[in-house]
Amino acid sequence: MKIKVLGPLNAEVNGISIVPTAGKPRQILALLALYPGRVVPVPTLMEEIWGTDLPQSALTTLQTYILQLRRRLGTAMGPDTPGSAKDVLVTRYGGYLLQIPTEAVDVHTYERLVAEGQQAFEDGEDGHAAKCLREALDLWEGPALVDVRVGPILDIEVMRLEESRLVARERRIDADLRLGRHVELIAELTDVIARHPQHEGLHSQAMVALYRSGRQASALDVYRRLRQRLIEDLGVEPSPQLQRLHQAMLAVDPRLDVISGPRRTSTFDLYAA
């Protein structure tokens, strides 16, 4: 079985999709897929589907959804496959689990690559960090579970994954900046700061990429527009780190020309106190 949650929900056995068309069984499959080999308690599944307003027939209906998933799974497995659908979508005391390896689900491959990339970044291995993080981000095919109606449990998981995706992208850009890939990053950073107009870390990266590409005026304009937005929308000034980065650009601080060096830090923390 191969399952993808980093984008539209996709689950295949022997090349045959087992993703149901009905909304609630899709939610159940998605939630079980996020925890392969681990029991998801019945109350958690019920909360995901119905929230706090459980119908009287909640348990019976949940069991019906599980049966529907097993039927699709059994059809895809075929008669020649060892074991049965019940051996894959397993009933345990108090809940259900998908008895599949973690690497069968794309999110776990993603998290392994991110962890490896983060460690390489902290160790100053910028090339390896950029490679791992780029491979992790390439696994995404759109917003997580974009075609699944999410309840309260999946909503938390989707937000966590999207935040992880943004952090991984920011760290990958940091690694690329330390490798001197400034010009190559400008188009990507122009797009990403437009999508995240109040994200100071991404704006700091855009400023550094532009500055190191000989576009000091454009770098300062990124700061000006961010400051104006923060003041108008939130009534706050940019953080001290970003203000110091701005002053360093005005002063043409030679430290801004350092690409890779002994200090293993993010762009945003370049001028941290």
Side-chain angles (χ1 to χ4, degrees):
M1 181 184 292
K2 292 292 183 183
I3 301 180
K4 296 180 180 180
V5 299
L6 302 177
L9 177 62
N10 182 287
E12 293 184 351
V13 176
N14 297 326
I16 300 172
S17 174
I18 64 166
V19 178
T21 55
K24 289 182 172 60
R26 289 170 78 91
Q27 286 176 265
I28 292 170
L29 178 59
L31 189 53
L32 292 170
L34 288 171
Y35 303 100
R38 292 168 55 186
V39 175
V40 179
V42 166
T44 301
L45 290 165
M46 288 182 175
E47 183 182 355
E48 168 58 28
I49 297 171
W50 293 291
T52 57
D53 187 20
L54 298 182
Q56 285 189 335
S57 60
L59 182 58
T60 303
T61 304
L62 175 61
Q63 291 169 341
T64 301
Y65 294 151
I66 294 292
L67 180 60
Q68 291 173 3
L69 288 171
R70 281 185 177 145
R71 284 175 179 164
R72 297 184 70 89
L73 183 56
T75 300
M77 290 172 67
D80 299 327
T81 303
S84 68
K86 286 186 177 181
D87 298 320
V88 179
L89 179 43
V90 183
T91 301
R92 285 284 187 265
Y93 180 77
Y96 300 92
L97 67 92
L98 275 178
Q99 195 68 271
I100 58 175
T102 56
E103 58 267 22
V105 186
D106 62 350
V107 68
H108 296 282
T109 302
Y110 161 78
E111 289 176 338
R112 175 182 58 78
L113 285 167
V114 167
E116 185 177 347
Q118 293 275 22
Q119 186 60 56
F121 183 85
E122 292 173 8
D123 293 342
E125 300 171 0
D126 299 323
H128 187 56
K131 177 178 178 293
C132 288
L133 293 167
R134 188 170 287 106
E135 288 178 6
L137 292 164
D138 284 347
L139 292 172
W140 287 75
E141 298 178 357
L145 297 173
V146 65
D147 59 348
V148 177
R149 186 185 71 84
V150 299
I153 310 300
L154 282 178
D155 187 48
I156 293 170
E157 291 292 341
V158 166
M159 286 193 294
R160 179 184 67 82
L161 287 170
E162 292 293 344
E163 182 62 27
S164 170
R165 182 187 190 184
L166 186 59
V167 170
R169 188 175 190 182
E170 187 179 2
R171 188 60 69 245
R172 195 224 82 225
I173 292 171
D174 270 328
D176 280 337
L177 282 171
R178 296 199 315 198
L179 290 165
R181 297 168 180 164
H182 315 122
V183 175
E184 298 95 320
L185 288 168
I186 290 174
E188 178 184 1
L189 283 165
T190 300
D191 174 73
V192 79
I193 63 174
R195 295 176 186 274
H196 302 278
Q198 296 178 350
H199 194 298
E200 293 195 0
L202 294 170
H203 280 75
S204 73
Q205 292 176 322
M207 290 167 65
V208 169
L210 287 163
Y211 182 90
R212 290 179 179 170
S213 300
R215 297 173 59 181
Q216 182 185 24
S218 297
L220 295 172
D221 190 54
V222 168
Y223 177 85
R224 180 190 61 77
R225 285 184 280 112
L226 173 63
R227 180 174 181 269
Q228 183 179 8
R229 188 175 297 113
L230 291 175
I231 291 172
E232 290 178 355
D233 295 350
L234 303 176
V236 299
E237 290 279 351
S239 66
Q241 292 102 309
L242 206 61
Q243 291 185 45
R244 284 192 286 269
L245 179 62
H246 177 245
Q247 290 299 317
M249 288 183 174
L250 290 172
V252 195
D253 189 330
R255 286 183 294 174
L256 283 170
D257 296 325
V258 175
I259 300 172
S260 297
R263 188 176 186 192
R264 298 161 186 170
T265 185
S266 69
T267 303
F268 184 62
D269 290 334
L270 190 63
Y271 285 88

